[in-house]
Amino acid sequence: MDLVTIRTFDNYFNANIVLTRLQDAGIECYLKDEFTVTIDPLLTNAIGGIKLVIKDTDINDVSKMLEEMDTIYRDAAVCPDCGHKGLDQISKPGTKNFVTAFFTWMFSSYAVAPEKIYQCPKCGWEGKQLPAIKEFIEE
């Protein structure tokens, strides 16, 4: 039996959500480099992020579960303008991200963290946060 890294994360919130769901389903898994990235986020790119490690015998089951989780996550957010499901997270175009790209290219390291936004691929709506999910809001 070998251990394999099936996914990497750049923050511990998402990593722990996925870890907990897999452990609740009876999958033995752990997070490698979680504490290093949590204590010093600037090392994320240097060490390859937080790694979700599983047994190689569980790879098919875990792949299916991760695909299902990704689909549920993407379909939960709905564009407030057109109602399209499946918003994309992209790097915001602008000077700050251009500077980041330039310094990354010049020095092979991140000088400034790129700013991310959510965008609707259908109508072009943009927002810094995912819109509220209507099913969970009490009126």
Side-chain angles (χ1 to χ4, degrees), residues 1-6 28 30 53-59:
M1 172 192 69
D2 290 326
L3 298 176
V4 294
T5 299
I6 193 159
E28 289 185 48
Y30 75 96
V53 179
I54 62 168
K55 295 178 186 175
D56 62 350
T57 56
D58 292 331
I59 200 161

Side-chain angles (χ1 to χ4, degrees), residues 6 17 19 33 48 51 64 66 76-77 85 87 94 96 105 107-108 116 126 130:
I6 193 159
I17 289 170
L19 176 76
D33 296 328
K51 298 153 198 79
K64 289 176 188 174
L66 291 174
K85 290 184 177 182
L87 301 177
K96 182 178 176 183
W105 176 72
F107 302 110
S108 298
K116 300 280 188 173
E126 292 181 350
L130 284 173

Side-chain angles (χ1 to χ4, degrees), residues 10 41-49 91 96-116:
D10 59 359
L42 294 176
L43 293 176
T44 300
N45 292 329
I47 63 172
S91 294
K96 182 178 176 183
N97 283 345
F98 174 76
V99 170
T100 300
F102 176 75
F103 281 110
T104 300
W105 176 72
M106 287 292 293
F107 302 110
S108 298
S109 66
Y110 285 96
V112 180
E115 185 177 353
K116 300 280 188 173

Side-chain angles (χ1 to χ4, degrees), residues 120-138:
C120 176
K122 188 173 179 183
C123 73
W125 172 87
E126 292 181 350
K128 289 186 177 185
Q129 297 179 343
L130 284 173
I133 300 171
K134 294 178 183 176
E135 294 93 40
F136 299 112
I137 299 175
E138 294 182 33

